[in-house]
Amino acid sequence: MKQRTSWLLPISLLLVAASAIVYGVHYLVFRDAYHIFYYMLLDIAFLFLNVLVVIIFIERLLARRERQAVFQKLNMVIGTFLSEVGLELLKRFSARVANAVVLKERLDVRPNWTRKDFQKATAAARGFSYELNIDPPSLLELKMFLAQKRDFLVRLLENPSLLEHDRFTDLLWAVFHLAEELSFREGNFEDLPPSDRLHLMGDAKRAYTHITMEWLAYTEHLKENYPFLFSLAVRINPLSANPSAYINGQ
């Protein structure tokens, strides 16, 4: 801040002095003080309009660019989460959804999807009745997996950029809460009371729903901005019927 002020003051004085010299030369040549002050007042009056233009338009343009930059960085964070945790959870959850076939038919993202297709898929995912039924061994595996990712999830929650994205913040809290619920239960989950298991299914359903919605939003972002990443996302989509990273040449 001090360095910026150190050069700003001399430059300001230099510009003021240059303006005074030009006005002085104008007076010496034309001897017309009237027009000097006349146009000076016009310029000062127009200065207020210049300030208005800067504040309303340029400031908004800069703010929009700043938001876009934050959005791009945030999508990098979302992509990291999906790669590290989200896709694996989608695979595990999808394998335990009784009506998964219906869901996969609606969320099988294709390369030619438009914004309208993504909107339909998002609406379908939001209103879908997720019939989760996770058996005790799968719950134990899920507990161990989330325990390994705990530090990663905590670091994401500490990211200040998340304040700009309520949906992703809700997703992280849903996953973190599920991890907490599982971590406080000991044993192999075989002796869980029916009410407790139902509670865990509700937590898993919440996390599954949030991840599904975020995955759709993220793939749409990739289609609009990173086609090469979108191509891979379509192929490995865990919500499709037959996900595979291999490119079928047929």
Side-chain angles (χ1 to χ4, degrees):
M1 186 63 181
K2 291 182 178 180
Q3 184 178 3
R4 181 181 177 183
T5 306
S6 64
W7 64 262
L8 183 59
L9 181 60
I11 291 296
S12 300
L13 294 175
L14 179 62
L15 292 175
V16 171
S19 179
I21 291 174
V22 171
Y23 278 122
V25 171
H26 184 281
Y27 179 76
L28 291 175
V29 174
F30 298 102
R31 298 291 179 177
D32 190 357
Y34 169 79
H35 282 92
I36 291 178
F37 286 104
Y38 173 79
Y39 286 108
M40 183 185 297
L41 288 175
L42 285 180
D43 291 338
I44 293 176
F46 189 69
L47 178 63
F48 296 108
L49 295 178
N50 284 334
V51 173
L52 180 63
V53 171
V54 171
I55 292 177
I56 293 181
F57 297 102
I58 298 181
E59 189 273 337
R60 288 188 177 182
L61 177 62
L62 293 176
R64 180 181 179 183
R65 289 184 177 179
E66 184 178 355
R67 286 194 300 269
Q68 289 177 342
V70 172
F71 181 74
Q72 292 291 343
K73 293 179 181 178
L74 184 55
N75 273 288
M76 292 178 62
V77 176
I78 294 174
T80 302
F81 166 80
L82 290 171
S83 297
E84 290 289 328
V85 181
L87 291 180
E88 180 61 29
L89 288 180
L90 283 179
K91 293 177 184 178
R92 292 173 183 263
F93 289 147
S94 297
R96 299 298 173 181
V97 174
N99 51 349
V101 176
V102 178
L103 181 66
K104 290 181 178 181
E105 289 178 354
R106 299 178 180 179
L107 307 186
D108 190 6
V109 180
R110 310 308 302 168
N112 61 343
W113 268 28
T114 63
R115 177 171 296 184
K116 189 175 182 179
D117 293 317
F118 280 104
Q119 290 174 348
K120 290 181 179 179
T122 301
R126 184 183 296 110
F128 189 74
S129 176
Y130 297 86
E131 299 176 7
L132 271 174
N133 184 18
I134 306 178
D135 56 28
S138 298
L139 281 176
L140 183 59
E141 292 177 1
L142 184 61
K143 172 184 175 179
M144 296 174 62
F145 172 73
L146 291 176
Q148 296 173 354
K149 302 297 182 179
R150 178 182 175 84
D151 291 341
F152 173 75
L153 294 173
V154 171
R155 288 197 299 272
L156 286 182
L157 287 171
E158 294 173 348
N159 192 323
S161 298
L162 295 180
L163 297 175
E164 303 291 334
H165 201 301
D166 293 337
R167 187 181 65 226
F168 186 56
T169 303
D170 292 340
L171 184 159
L172 285 181
W173 278 120
V175 174
F176 194 79
H177 175 70
L178 176 61
E180 289 283 280
E181 288 278 4
L182 294 172
S183 68
F184 281 105
R185 286 164 174 78
E186 300 178 354
N188 56 9
F189 295 93
E190 293 288 351
D191 299 326
L192 285 178
S195 58
D196 194 47
R197 184 176 178 182
L198 183 63
H199 177 80
L200 289 176
M201 292 305 103
D203 292 333
K205 177 181 177 180
R206 183 187 304 108
Y208 187 23
T209 304
H210 280 297
I211 297 173
T212 301
M213 302 281 290
E214 197 59 57
W215 171 248
L216 288 172
Y218 181 69
T219 52
E220 183 178 9
H221 165 73
L222 293 183
K223 179 176 175 59
E224 295 177 355
N225 298 278
Y226 304 99
F228 60 99
L229 293 177
F230 174 71
S231 173
L232 177 61
V234 169
R235 284 179 273 126
I236 65 173
N237 180 13
L239 300 173
S240 65
N242 298 296
S244 174
Y246 294 98
I247 299 177
N248 188 352
Q250 297 179 353

